[in-house]
Amino acid sequence: MLMDIFVKGNILIIQIEANLEEDKLELINYKIRSYCHYKKIKKPKFLFVFPSLYPESITPDNVNSLFSFLNFSEIEVSHKSVKILTKNTTLLDLLDQHEVYAKFDRVPDFLTGITALNIDIS
């Protein structure tokens, strides 16, 4: 699993390639929790970029592990603050089957995703 995390303010851009590995998914969540605690971020925003993933690694358990940060009590993450950039139909189909993940916005390109996260309509 190749993973890259870039942070700008309260926006975390997470790129994952190749496959989803349980131990590294736990590491992502640890880093999210640690960073938000350290920077006192209560409402983080996320852009997940999946250029390529092996279909066999896209399982409900792995996807639940990836998004387990949604259950952290110290941060508030709305479905509008999570953007997904991918053309991987296996992943998109699995997300569509989940009540919460289906509400994540799908973005067609990086610029659209970042722009949408930067605009605070509230």
Side-chain angles (χ1 to χ4, degrees):
M1 181 171 140
L2 302 171
M3 169 180 55
D4 192 21
I5 301 174
F6 176 77
V7 180
K8 176 92 171 151
N10 67 335
I11 298 175
L12 289 87
I13 302 162
I14 301 171
Q15 181 172 326
I16 299 173
E17 292 191 57
N19 58 4
L20 300 173
E21 296 175 19
E22 187 176 338
D23 59 333
K24 291 186 180 174
L25 295 173
E26 289 177 17
L27 179 62
I28 290 171
N29 282 282
Y30 172 78
K31 289 185 176 286
I32 290 170
R33 183 177 238 163
S34 297
Y35 182 79
C36 289
H37 176 75
Y38 178 72
K39 293 291 187 174
K40 297 179 174 56
I41 296 172
K42 299 294 183 193
K43 294 183 179 187
K45 300 176 183 182
F46 299 90
L47 173 59
F48 283 92
V49 182
F50 302 100
S52 63
L53 289 173
Y54 299 130
E56 62 273 9
S57 75
I58 303 169
T59 66
D61 287 341
N62 284 343
V63 172
N64 288 333
S65 292
L66 173 62
F67 296 119
S68 63
F69 65 86
L70 295 171
N71 301 316
F72 295 163
S73 60
E74 64 271 20
I75 61 174
E76 181 183 330
V77 181
S78 74
H79 66 275
K80 290 187 179 204
S81 63
V82 179
K83 309 295 183 206
I84 305 291
L85 173 56
T86 190
K87 298 222 184 268
N88 185 307
T89 56
T90 305
L91 177 60
L92 293 173
D93 290 344
L94 188 59
L95 294 176
D96 285 339
Q97 295 172 19
H98 193 278
E99 181 181 342
V100 174
Y101 310 152
K103 296 178 184 175
F104 294 162
D105 288 338
R106 315 296 165 75
V107 294
D109 55 62
F110 187 83
L111 183 60
T112 302
I114 290 297
T115 303
L117 290 173
N118 276 316
I119 297 173
D120 186 1
I121 298 182
S122 63

